[in-house]
Amino acid sequence: MLLVIVVASFWVFERDLPASLVDTRYSNPASQFLTLPNGSRIHYRDQGVAEAPAIVLLHGSNASLHTWEPWVERLGDRYRIVTIDLPGHGLTGAVPDQQYTTAAFMATVTSVTQHLRLPPFVLGGNSMGGGVTWRYAAAYPQQVRAMILVDASGPRDWSRQAARRSGEERPPLAFRLLRYEWFRTIGRYLDLGYLTGEGLRASYADKRLVDEALIDRYYNLNMRAGTRAATLLRATQPRDNDQQGEQALR
């Protein structure tokens, strides 16, 4: 039995990737870093036409600002496009105060947009980032000219009701496992290879887009030192009160 456990550990467990290695691979000349008063180092990119109307884009859970690079390529000649790695994600990674709530994500958006001195902007987001988007617009309507919601997460009660009505398929395995304490106990040591590929194929309608380069990027960013632990902690932190947002959406 001991031999089986030792052999299995070589297949199942994996060390973190050094942050410096991942940062070098996935940053580019547009990458900038803003250090906040709480010690967080936020990775963002400010691209496109500086004098044009600004669009700020927020990625989904376990993703990164790289999600939006095709949008930058298509819209960058007409708009100023700011993309942000939210805490616990991408090259921002784990943050000192260990806050990965929607409120912390909203505070990050405020910090970056104020640092850049953006006038009122269009705010867009996918999935989790979409949830941050509409909550931010509800809280700061004077700052948001318009919203772009791409498969955005809604208030928890709304999401449950919609899933029951539509008979929606179960979420990817990784998200289901995060519900269990036993998995959260060992999750920070697990190799994420299988879960990364399975999760991406479950999330993309067009499976042809899930190539090795995409899987490698998600895998490497989520294996960056500290990110697995941040993801597990995020799964245990309480959701924010959606009352204000629900009222605004009505």
Side-chain angles (χ1 to χ4, degrees), residues 13 15-16 47 54 67 69 83 97 104 111 218 221 238 240 242:
F13 297 104
R15 295 179 181 178
D16 283 342
Q47 302 176 87
T67 297
E69 285 303 302
T83 54
D97 64 5
S111 295
Y218 272 78
L221 288 171
D240 296 276
D242 284 336

Side-chain angles (χ1 to χ4, degrees), residues 19-167:
S20 59
L21 178 68
V22 178
D23 291 2
T24 298
R25 182 171 181 180
Y26 292 101
S27 59
N28 70 12
S31 293
Q32 300 184 61
F33 295 89
L34 174 65
T35 301
L36 304 184
N38 65 4
S40 301
R41 191 193 71 152
I42 306 301
H43 176 227
Y44 70 94
R45 294 179 183 175
D46 182 6
Q47 302 176 87
V49 182
E51 299 78 18
I55 303 175
V56 178
L57 296 172
L58 308 176
H59 58 76
S61 179
N62 300 111
S64 67
L65 58 71
H66 299 83
T67 297
W68 302 109
E69 285 303 302
W71 288 47
V72 174
E73 291 177 12
R74 297 186 182 188
L75 302 175
D77 60 344
R78 288 175 286 163
Y79 298 96
R80 179 179 184 178
I81 303 178
V82 176
T83 54
I84 304 171
D85 275 339
L86 296 170
H89 297 79
L91 303 187
T92 294
V95 293
D97 64 5
Q98 298 186 318
Q99 291 299 307
Y100 306 107
T101 63
T102 302
F105 296 158
M106 291 169 59
T108 301
V109 174
T110 296
S111 295
V112 173
T113 55
Q114 287 185 350
H115 172 72
L116 295 175
R117 299 184 179 180
L118 292 186
F121 49 86
V122 174
L123 183 60
N126 166 239
S127 190
M128 178 192 77
V132 177
T133 293
W134 63 257
R135 290 176 175 90
Y136 192 94
Y140 307 106
Q142 72 281 3
Q143 295 297 325
V144 180
R145 297 177 58 188
M147 291 190 297
I148 303 171
L149 300 179
V150 183
D151 194 23
S153 62
R156 181 187 294 184
D157 290 344
W158 293 20
S159 299
R160 288 172 176 168
Q161 292 169 15
R164 284 196 296 268
R165 288 196 300 268
S166 65

